[in-house]
Amino acid sequence: MSQLKRTPLYDFHVSRGGRLVDFAGWEMPVQYKSILEEHKAVRAAAGLFDVSHMGEVDVQGPDALAFLQVLVTNDLGQMTDGRVVYSPMCLENGGVVDDLLVYRRGPDDFFLCVNASNIEKDLAWIRQQAARFNVTITDRSDETALVALQGPKAAAILQALTATDLSSIRYYHFAVGTIAGIPCVLSRTGYTGEDGFELYHAPKDSVALAEALMAAGAAHGLQLAGLGARDSLRLEAGYPLYGHELSADISPLTAGLAWTVKLEKGVEFIGAPALRREKESVFARKVIFFRTGDRRIVRAGTQVQNGDDQTVGTVLSGTLSPLLNEAIGSALVGATASTKYMQVDIRGEKLPLRLVKPPFVELKKSS
């Protein structure tokens, strides 16, 4: 068994009772006290997540924008300095290599935030595609740490520690500043459906930053939150997770992310012909989201059946929504499958699925 990687906050997690698990080769906290409590704390106040396992990649040079426009499906042409754009990065067949965030620091200077489990695969793909462009690709993952402060109280907590006017950072924008004297990139992004910030910083500063945030957030109800709450929050918000709602076998169109696929952006990006064909034809499959009205979690891999007990799909993600107090999930089903009645078999009991359009709960939109 290979040695699991650890973030700079490993000892911090251990000292605060974090239950550590193997996640994509990293020893990460899945929870501290209770996933349900951490989930509710993020919705009501704020939670602090260690997401230093995520990868960061610099893309710099005269062809940086031209290259990225070919690399990803979303349109980066209107980006300005300080903007962030979410986009899938596709294979030629329209399947997804990864979904990522693109940050623009300058006209020739971008950086990407990619999923932890895909860092090596992404770098190989990006470098392969960059060969015909005048760009430099640099892996910054080992020299970059990342924490996410998420929740309606996040801005108030953070503002007490920085001279940067946080109200000037709009949703999906970022700024460079200091937090408790620590240099950071303050990105108004997140993966919970709540307002919040993702804070990129040097690994040597992680413990001091986390301790400063926890101290400032104590009066606001800030709690440490693990990957368990991160997953239930993102599913409750209807966000895709690579390897579940998105994969090399599930295109962004199948996943319901047509808004990220800009076929008319004037650049023939990788996967565009295949995605154009998919859009112009009848979709073979689609990702749906469901509630069950029952607390029993429907695990990924569970077969979805129609009213005649015929298999019409497979569950991709399943969890308990702490706010709804019932199981929710997503599934990949045949596009022609009737949505009038779907069910899953839970230990011999048929459980009907009620299809919904996410988010599952009302979320306050950031400005």
Side-chain angles (χ1 to χ4, degrees):
M1 180 179 174
S2 59
Q3 183 72 34
L4 294 176
K5 297 179 183 177
R6 293 175 175 175
T7 77
L9 288 173
Y10 173 80
D11 291 335
F12 176 90
H13 299 315
V14 171
S15 68
R16 285 159 179 79
R19 185 165 76 82
L20 300 166
V21 300
D22 178 359
F23 179 83
W26 290 79
E27 200 165 4
M28 299 294 293
V30 66
Q31 66 183 89
Y32 296 85
K33 296 178 181 176
S34 158
I35 292 175
L36 298 184
E37 287 183 20
E38 292 161 22
H39 181 114
K40 291 179 178 178
V42 173
R43 290 279 183 249
L48 183 65
F49 302 82
D50 178 12
V51 283
S52 296
H53 58 317
M54 301 290 281
E56 292 80 19
V57 180
D58 281 350
V59 180
Q60 297 166 308
D63 289 349
L65 176 59
F67 167 61
L68 289 170
Q69 284 282 64
V70 171
L71 186 71
V72 304
T73 65
N74 212 334
D75 188 2
L76 312 181
Q78 301 304 313
M79 286 185 81
T80 54
D81 295 353
R83 275 293 311 275
V84 187
V85 169
Y86 167 81
S87 181
M89 173 172 67
C90 283
L91 299 159
E92 286 91 347
N93 66 3
V96 179
V97 181
D98 200 3
D99 61 331
L100 47 83
L101 295 180
V102 182
Y103 290 74
R104 172 171 154 151
R105 291 181 293 217
D108 304 331
D109 186 2
F110 296 78
F111 81 94
L112 314 177
C113 182
V114 304
N115 282 299
S117 58
N118 292 336
I119 295 174
E120 292 184 7
K121 179 187 70 173
D122 287 0
L123 276 168
W125 177 256
I126 292 169
R127 285 174 171 146
Q128 177 186 343
Q129 305 309 319
R132 60 190 173 94
F133 292 90
N134 186 7
V135 293
T136 301
I137 309 299
T138 309
D139 180 11
R140 301 293 187 192
S141 303
D142 289 342
E143 57 195 81
T144 308
L146 180 62
V147 295
L149 180 65
Q150 299 283 293
K153 301 292 182 63
I157 294 168
L158 197 58
Q159 192 62 79
L161 297 172
T162 181
T164 301
D165 178 10
L166 298 182
S167 67
S168 68
I169 306 176
R170 291 180 291 151
Y171 191 48
Y172 267 72
H173 286 70
F174 70 96
V176 176
T178 61
I179 301 169
I182 297 168
C184 290
V185 171
L186 294 72
S187 174
R188 198 155 200 161
T189 50
Y191 196 45
T192 63
E194 295 294 332
D195 187 20
F197 294 83
E198 294 178 296
L199 308 171
Y200 298 87
H201 58 281
K204 66 180 178 59
D205 295 326
S206 284
V207 172
L209 177 62
E211 289 179 342
L213 290 167
M214 292 305 297
H220 295 275
L222 174 63
Q223 290 193 26
L224 289 168
L227 296 181
R230 182 173 161 86
D231 189 57
S232 59
L233 287 158
R234 73 90 191 167
L235 185 55
E236 208 175 62
Y239 294 161
L241 174 64
Y242 189 84
H244 292 254
E245 288 78 22
L246 284 172
S247 72
D249 187 47
I250 303 176
S251 80
L253 297 180
T254 299
L257 295 175
W259 64 274
T260 67
V261 179
K262 301 299 172 56
L263 291 166
E264 308 305 325
K265 69 177 177 179
V267 177
E268 195 71 347
F269 58 84
I270 300 168
L275 292 169
R276 190 173 291 113
R277 288 193 298 272
E278 182 181 7
K279 186 176 182 180
E280 292 171 351
S281 63
V282 177
F283 284 21
R285 304 172 301 171
K286 60 184 176 182
V287 173
I288 61 164
F289 291 85
F290 63 82
R291 298 174 61 167
T292 67
D294 190 281
R295 284 179 52 84
R296 287 171 290 182
I297 294 174
V298 185
R299 303 293 179 187
T302 302
Q303 292 186 343
V304 178
Q305 302 171 334
N306 61 17
D308 296 324
D309 292 346
Q310 296 172 322
T311 298
V312 296
T314 306
V315 172
L316 300 171
S317 295
T319 192
L320 177 73
S321 166
L323 267 63
L324 298 174
N325 195 32
E326 69 176 278
I328 62 174
S330 66
L332 183 66
V333 301
T336 58
S338 172
T339 56
K340 291 184 178 178
Y341 187 84
M342 291 185 183
Q343 64 184 11
V344 291
D345 188 320
I346 304 293
R347 299 186 184 89
E349 182 180 345
K350 303 295 185 183
L351 208 61
L353 306 182
R354 182 159 67 88
L355 273 56
V356 299
K357 183 180 180 181
F360 288 89
V361 297
E362 185 177 357
L363 301 172
K364 294 180 181 178
K365 294 183 178 179
S366 301
S367 59

